[in-house]
Amino acid sequence: MAAVGSTTDQASLFSQVQRYTARTFAGHVREVATEKRHGKARSTSLSDKCVDVVVKNFEHYPVHENIPARCMRKITSRLPMHLDAKIAAEFVFDENYWKKRCQEQLPQRDCQINEHGLTWKQLFFERHLRTCFEEFESSKSEESSAPGLLSAASSSQDYVFTLKTQELRGHPDIESICKMLPNLARLEITYGVKRIGMKYDRMLFGMKISDANCLAKSILNCENLTALTLQSNLIDDDLLRMLMTGLIKNSRVTHLDLAHNKVTNHGVRLLSKLLGMGSVMTSLNLADNQIHAEGGRYLGRVLRANESLIELNLRLNRLADEGGRMLLDGISGACRISHLNLAGNSLAAKSVTALARILSTDVNLLHSLDLSCNAFTEEGMDEIAMALRNNKILTSMDLRMNRADADYFAAHTGICSILRQNELNALHTAGP
């Protein structure tokens, strides 16, 4: 059984068994001591000699079949940590080898196998491919860069389920790479450079039309892709229109994150096509974009009939009071949203009235709500508190940095007590 490793909370049965050493009999100890005293060297067994030969030539003549498990463990324990990744992927399956290789070649903060399917081999190859991506530069000759990236993807194809890069300096052909990753389920890409200092160049940041075109084709062709994160890529409505050619035909992506981009009302109108009847989208993040009241109207209209969306984040946009009202009117229908973030949208009285109508009904499913950094007054807080009197579902609400006085928040404990009671009831219902 493969070892889970020291970075997890619980060790596997294999790791626990390794803590116990085999018993050494006294007679054997005396025999070894006598041999050492008389200068007698113990002869190396034939199997050990074979293991040495196999290890020495493993890179050119790798083997893994028809070898006893005891000998195979000896072989993998002696293999070098710089063994070619393609050969190691195909012929080395011992988790102890991959654990040792990860701990030697990766920073300690990256050795968290709970984020990589609880296997060291998957962790190594997902990190290996990420490093190859971040070292890729379009300015280099195609012969020296692109084939190396494709080779890394080819050797990693069976073990990469998440491809995540937050510092992509070049613009590789994502479509060709994704074709080599049949198990890819999560894709996170940010085009840009960190810690660039005085060498800032606008061309180093953001997605290009060619990138959007490749991504659209990748989204369409990846059969197991369920989560797509494209934060901080300077995506505007034109780039989003290109991405939509793949998203609109894909019925598997359930998580879409376009935070910190330049999506406007027109872009929201395009995205609303993903939320119609038959939608599978469960999470949509449009935080920190350029969405105004008209965008709130588009979302509110499509959410009236949506039954799949669970999480919606519109933090740091420009919905204003009218846009917030239209959005919340849509959520009051058949929508099943349980986590809603509308912080920093200048919501006011009209939005409070629409929200109070949602919170006072028995059919709402809101569990957490972020309304911080808006324009709610003391009257609006009272209206929300009145609506929450019979609410048994909402467990979290953030109302900080609104226009009500600080003393008013300290005195008004009704909302906090209701939320706390709902949380305790939820924990009691969930059981141990």
Side-chain angles (χ1 to χ4, degrees):
M1 186 174 180
V4 176
S6 60
T7 59
T8 55
D9 294 334
Q10 298 181 353
S12 67
L13 179 61
F14 180 84
S15 297
Q16 297 178 35
V17 171
Q18 297 305 307
R19 299 173 184 171
Y20 300 93
T21 58
R23 295 178 60 187
T24 303
F25 294 98
H28 178 69
V29 173
R30 287 194 296 270
E31 181 183 347
V32 172
T34 303
E35 289 179 354
K36 289 184 178 179
R37 187 166 53 252
H38 293 285
K40 296 181 181 179
R42 301 185 67 190
S43 60
T44 305
S45 66
L46 180 60
S47 63
D48 288 338
K49 292 182 178 180
C50 293
V51 167
D52 291 337
V53 173
V54 171
V55 170
K56 185 177 179 180
N57 298 277
F58 195 88
E59 189 162 1
H60 302 289
Y61 303 100
V63 292
H64 73 283
E65 295 180 351
N66 302 324
I67 297 180
R70 176 178 59 85
C71 295
M72 198 64 208
R73 284 194 294 270
K74 288 184 178 180
I75 292 172
T76 54
S77 66
R78 301 180 189 178
L79 288 176
M81 296 297 104
H82 56 77
L83 185 65
D84 182 74
K86 187 173 184 179
I87 294 175
E90 186 175 355
F91 296 99
V92 181
F93 301 96
D94 190 348
E95 279 287 279
N96 288 324
Y97 170 84
W98 292 109
K99 177 181 179 180
K100 184 178 179 181
R101 185 161 180 172
C102 288
Q103 291 176 340
E104 286 190 8
Q105 298 182 3
L106 300 176
Q108 182 64 30
R109 65 178 182 274
D110 293 332
C111 293
Q112 304 295 330
I113 61 174
N114 59 317
E115 300 175 1
H116 300 272
L118 292 179
T119 66
W120 290 101
K121 193 170 186 179
Q122 181 180 333
L123 184 152
F124 175 82
F125 280 106
E126 289 182 349
R127 288 290 305 169
H128 173 65
L129 187 57
R130 174 178 177 174
T131 301
C132 293
F133 255 85
E134 294 179 349
E135 292 178 350
F136 177 88
E137 293 186 22
S138 301
S139 58
K140 295 182 179 180
S141 61
E142 183 180 352
E143 292 77 11
S144 63
S145 56
L149 188 56
L150 293 174
S151 176
S154 177
S155 62
S156 310
Q157 60 181 350
D158 293 332
Y159 305 99
V160 173
F161 294 80
T162 298
L163 178 54
K164 179 180 179 180
T165 172
Q166 296 180 344
E167 192 176 2
L168 188 54
R169 301 172 180 235
H171 298 270
D173 186 355
I174 300 295
E175 181 188 5
S176 300
I177 294 168
C178 289
K179 283 182 178 178
M180 297 183 177
L181 305 174
N183 298 321
L184 186 63
R186 186 179 187 89
L187 181 61
E188 299 185 22
I189 295 179
T190 298
Y191 293 89
V193 183
K194 294 183 178 179
R195 296 177 293 275
I196 193 171
M198 298 300 293
K199 297 181 181 179
Y200 173 80
D201 184 355
R202 167 63 181 79
M203 297 303 295
L204 294 174
F205 297 86
M207 184 185 296
K208 296 182 178 179
I209 288 290
S210 58
D211 300 324
N213 186 32
C214 289
L215 271 172
K217 294 178 181 178
S218 302
I219 295 168
L220 188 58
N221 296 327
C222 287
E223 296 182 355
N224 295 309
L225 186 66
T226 59
L228 179 64
T229 300
L230 299 173
Q231 290 190 4
S232 305
N233 280 300
L234 301 178
I235 297 176
D236 56 16
D237 294 340
D238 293 331
L239 290 173
L240 182 58
R241 186 182 297 106
M242 183 69 69
L243 292 173
M244 283 295 298
T245 59
L247 287 169
I248 198 67
K249 298 178 182 179
N250 183 293
S251 58
R252 297 172 294 274
V253 174
T254 60
H255 175 92
L256 181 61
D257 189 341
L258 296 174
H260 313 297
N261 283 293
K262 301 169 67 177
V263 178
T264 68
N265 297 334
H266 184 66
V268 172
R269 187 174 184 178
L270 293 173
L271 288 171
S272 65
K273 298 178 182 178
L274 302 177
L275 301 173
M277 296 295 294
S279 171
V280 297
M281 191 72 63
T282 60
S283 176
L284 179 62
N285 188 354
L286 295 174
D288 191 17
N289 276 276
Q290 299 174 10
I291 303 171
H292 293 76
E294 193 68 10
R297 183 170 71 87
Y298 291 139
L299 285 174
R301 181 187 301 171
V302 73
L303 288 176
R304 292 181 183 275
N306 181 277
E307 296 183 353
S308 64
L309 197 65
I310 296 175
E311 182 177 356
L312 178 62
N313 190 342
L314 292 171
R315 178 175 59 93
L316 296 177
N317 277 284
R318 303 164 177 81
L319 291 179
D321 195 23
E322 186 64 22
R325 180 193 65 77
M326 291 186 288
L327 173 67
L328 291 169
D329 283 343
I331 294 177
S332 62
C335 188
R336 304 181 65 85
I337 290 179
S338 59
H339 305 282
L340 180 62
N341 191 333
L342 296 176
N345 274 282
S346 301
L347 307 185
K350 295 180 181 178
S351 300
V352 168
T353 302
L355 177 63
R357 188 162 50 248
I358 296 174
L359 297 177
S360 61
T361 60
D362 297 331
V363 295
N364 89 89
L365 299 175
L366 282 175
H367 284 80
S368 67
L369 188 60
D370 191 342
L371 299 170
S372 59
C373 304
N374 282 295
F376 295 164
T377 61
E378 296 179 2
E379 291 76 10
M381 298 297 178
D382 287 332
E383 192 171 353
I384 292 174
M386 289 285 292
L388 283 174
R389 287 185 175 179
N390 297 321
N391 187 290
K392 306 297 182 183
I393 298 177
L394 192 68
T395 58
S396 173
M397 178 185 287
D398 192 343
L399 291 169
R400 293 173 297 174
M401 298 186 69
N402 277 277
R403 291 186 178 178
D405 296 334
D407 295 338
Y408 182 79
F409 282 108
H412 200 303
T413 59
I415 295 177
C416 294
S417 61
I418 292 173
L419 297 179
R420 180 58 180 165
Q421 186 60 47
N422 289 348
E423 185 178 5
L424 292 174
N425 292 338
L427 292 173
H428 178 72
T429 303

